[in-house]
Amino acid sequence: MKKNQQRPKGYVYIIGAGPGDPDLLTLKAERALRASDVILYDDLVTSALVDRFEGLKIYTGKRKDSHHFEQDAINEEIVRHALRGKIVARLKGGDPFVFGRGGEEIDVLRSHRIDYEIIPGITAAHGASSYSEIPLTMRKVSSSVAFCTGHPVNKIQAPDADTLVYYMVASSVHEVLEAVLKKGRKESTKVAIVQNATRYNQQVFTGTIGEFLRRDRVAYSPALLIIGENINHFIEKNWFSRKKKVLVVGGEPKQFSERDYVVVNFPCRREEAAERAEIERCIEGVGEWPVIVFPNRFAVKYFFGYLMEFGRDVRHLSGARICTIGRPAATELQKFGILSDLALEPESPSAIGGLLREGGVSRQKVLLPGSNLVDSYLVNALEEEGSTVTPLSVYLHGKHEQEETVDLDFIDEIWFSSPSCVKNFSALYRSVPDRITVTGADSGTEAEFARIFGGKR
Ligand code: SAH
């Protein structure tokens, strides 16, 4: 892009991701996510879903006790990317306008005059209702339904509707039930808790208000509480619980039909090996680059980790001019005994180009270590000055924040695509319960499983 050309203002999609089953994403949401440069996603959004898209992924997880991003910081991040001309997807669990803070986020976009649109999602109540076969309304039983919240406890309401659905109840079930009793409902009223609705580990607990009040801890997040006579309709063996849950480790096997199975994908991460080869190649030839630019402190940290791992040290960088962007990167560099030759502290991303020019970084071969998602702004700025840039991915953006492991208690079968996938799997799981049926794509894979897990089943 030419220097004086006006950058187009970005665009923001506020998207509902649905309650958990990645296939409950709408077609429209899928299209928008494919078109997005940046995807900011909540902790209720599974990584199986975001992994399908290419954009830069930023995890904004908001579990109560490990705040990753405060709401203000999330808003700032959305605005920052949009103002840089990016297409931003703000991906939220369920529906953005049902206890999803979508309203607050559009206020911020309106005030910055950033264009946006809203794509609804399947809210947890609808997912839980279908996947547990509890209708929310039923002729002659329930003719109204209310969505309520169990948080904060001093604001719990019990509206006058036949079916009540409570969100955010994991730690306030008792308080909700007390509030409902106070409004005149009987102790014998039916209650259901749907935990992890629409996911492979969905669990449904049923009873009466009286019974639940006598139990201690009854639910773990994410969970919904449903109250009303429609719960009489519930059956233990429903269409979803009947399906076998199969863990697929690598590959896409054909034999698990959608009708009989719920497939849980477990990525086998072979791609990391390919990246390592690239890193090794660049580090061995590191003398080829007269300039190395570190865009942040993670780039410094991981790059130097690999430098040592592949048998080099700082002396191998003595011929290069080293440039850092931002103070944290310069500070991180000092830990390795190097002072930055050019420590840039741009006030905004658009200032980087000018600072590089002033610092004399032009028409050079530049090595740019960073995350797997290259900052095109920086690459453009360097290229505009006639440099050739080699981006090198030394860490995976956002990945380390959300390493989920699958709970084998809910799994009926496991399928492995290759011996190396068995090996990767064994780094996370020491044993596999006997009741789980294990198969592999070929006899070599099954033999590898027997070799590693044989005695520990
Ligand atoms: N916007 C979301 C709700 C966010 S509030 C939606 O429309 O669904 C977070 C609450 O949603 C959780 O505390 C829980 O009560 C509920 N929730 C979200 N996903 C759920 C799931 N898979 N199973 C059960 N409850 C869920």
Side-chain angles (χ1 to χ4, degrees):
M1 187 172 292
K2 290 280 163 291
K3 263 169 270 168
N4 296 329
Q5 198 174 321
Q6 182 87 49
R7 220 160 242 282
K9 226 182 211 181
Y11 194 78
V12 178
Y13 291 103
I14 310 258
I15 303 175
D21 177 345
D23 283 354
L24 290 181
L25 191 74
T26 63
L27 294 175
K28 192 169 184 183
E30 167 122 24
R31 265 203 314 276
L33 284 161
R34 279 196 200 298
S36 294
D37 302 308
V38 184
I39 301 172
L40 291 107
Y41 65 102
D42 276 355
D43 66 345
L44 281 172
V45 178
T46 56
S47 52
L49 195 156
V50 274
D51 281 352
R52 303 206 294 228
F53 304 98
E54 307 249 293
L56 169 68
K57 287 154 203 133
I58 302 177
Y59 173 58
T60 61
K62 263 198 313 190
R63 290 250 183 236
K64 266 201 209 128
D65 22 53
S66 61
H67 272 264
H68 266 264
F69 264 93
E70 297 290 342
Q71 186 64 41
D72 284 348
I74 296 174
N75 294 344
E76 265 173 41
E77 195 68 6
I78 298 173
V79 167
R80 191 169 73 84
H81 290 283
L83 292 180
R84 289 169 67 188
K86 305 281 183 196
I87 300 180
V88 182
R90 172 66 180 125
L91 187 60
K92 294 164 160 294
D95 179 85
F97 279 0
V98 179
F99 305 121
R101 297 196 161 201
E104 282 143 88
E105 287 170 13
I106 57 172
D107 277 347
V108 176
L109 296 175
R110 285 177 186 165
S111 71
H112 282 85
R113 297 175 189 280
I114 293 168
D115 289 336
Y116 59 86
E117 66 187 79
I118 300 153
I119 303 178
I122 293 178
T123 190
H126 291 143
S129 158
S130 294
Y131 281 54
S132 63
E133 273 191 48
I134 298 173
L136 293 180
T137 65
M138 259 184 103
R139 225 160 71 86
K140 298 195 181 142
V141 178
S142 161
S143 58
S144 57
V145 52
F147 293 172
C148 322
T149 169
H151 180 83
V153 279
N154 58 352
K155 293 240 171 82
I156 294 173
Q157 294 180 13
D160 195 9
D162 293 333
T163 305
L164 299 174
V165 182
Y166 282 90
Y167 289 68
M168 291 177 268
V169 278
S171 50
S172 60
V173 171
H174 289 168
E175 287 84 349
V176 166
L177 296 176
E178 304 278 3
V180 171
L181 277 184
K182 238 189 239 158
K183 272 294 187 92
R185 290 271 179 131
K186 296 203 201 76
E187 279 217 6
S188 58
T189 309
K190 286 283 162 64
V191 174
I193 285 179
V194 186
Q195 200 168 287
N196 289 311
T198 78
R199 302 177 184 186
Y200 75 97
N201 54 349
Q202 169 175 298
Q203 278 182 294
V204 186
F205 309 104
T206 55
T208 62
I209 294 186
E211 284 164 359
F212 270 80
L213 277 172
R214 286 188 288 278
R215 292 183 203 164
D216 287 343
R217 173 102 200 189
V218 272
Y220 291 90
S221 188
L224 281 182
L225 178 66
I226 308 177
I227 303 171
E229 294 312 321
N230 48 339
I231 291 162
N232 285 323
H233 209 72
F234 174 73
I235 48 167
E236 214 47 70
K237 277 255 161 242
N238 74 4
W239 70 268
F240 183 69
S241 66
R242 243 189 343 251
K243 291 191 194 214
K244 288 206 165 128
K245 316 295 182 291
V246 59
L247 185 66
V248 166
V249 188
E252 282 181 30
K254 299 267 180 299
Q255 69 267 39
F256 302 110
S257 73
E258 228 178 278
R259 205 164 123 175
D260 300 323
Y261 286 95
V262 172
V263 170
V264 183
N265 282 302
F266 190 91
C268 176
R269 304 207 189 293
R270 248 174 308 183
E271 63 279 9
E272 270 178 348
E275 283 166 10
R276 278 178 71 84
E278 174 68 3
I279 295 168
E280 186 169 11
R281 202 181 60 72
C282 285
I283 283 184
E284 279 177 355
V286 74
E288 284 171 34
W289 286 278
V291 178
I292 304 177
V293 176
F294 290 103
N296 58 47
R297 75 187 164 91
F298 297 108
V300 178
K301 179 174 160 203
Y302 289 99
F303 177 84
F304 280 87
Y306 282 117
L307 189 74
M308 311 283 168
E309 192 176 326
F310 293 122
R312 302 286 190 278
D313 63 28
V314 294
R315 288 169 301 174
H316 292 87
L317 307 179
S318 62
R321 207 156 164 234
I322 295 188
C323 169
T324 49
I325 295 175
R327 191 163 302 178
T331 311
E332 186 73 26
L333 192 62
Q334 285 181 16
K335 291 187 192 159
F336 298 96
I338 299 179
L339 292 175
S340 183
D341 294 307
L342 184 62
L344 304 182
E345 292 191 20
E347 281 175 359
S348 70
S350 57
I352 292 176
L355 294 176
L356 284 168
R357 197 174 329 126
E358 282 167 27
V361 180
S362 56
R363 288 187 294 280
Q364 307 264 18
K365 277 182 75 181
V366 177
L367 182 64
L368 179 64
S371 84
N372 50 322
L373 295 144
V374 181
D375 186 336
S376 54
Y377 212 97
L378 188 52
V379 174
N380 287 348
L382 286 159
E383 286 179 349
E384 275 176 20
E385 293 305 314
S387 292
T388 47
V389 184
T390 307
L392 176 66
S393 157
V394 290
Y395 70 94
L396 298 178
H397 191 102
K399 202 77 191 178
H400 46 282
E401 291 122 324
Q402 213 202 17
E403 276 304 344
E404 300 170 61
T405 45
V406 173
D407 187 345
L408 295 186
D409 283 349
F410 294 88
I411 296 294
D412 302 300
E413 298 187 16
I414 306 182
W415 182 89
F416 292 98
S417 69
S418 69
S420 68
C421 287
V422 178
K423 210 165 185 161
N424 289 358
F425 179 84
S426 71
L428 288 169
Y429 296 91
R430 305 249 160 258
S431 66
V432 173
D434 266 343
R435 65 174 178 78
I436 297 182
T437 309
V438 176
T439 50
D442 49 43
S443 56
T445 304
E446 291 180 359
E448 181 72 348
F449 182 83
R451 191 181 70 75
I452 298 180
F453 287 97
K456 291 180 275 175
R457 297 201 70 203

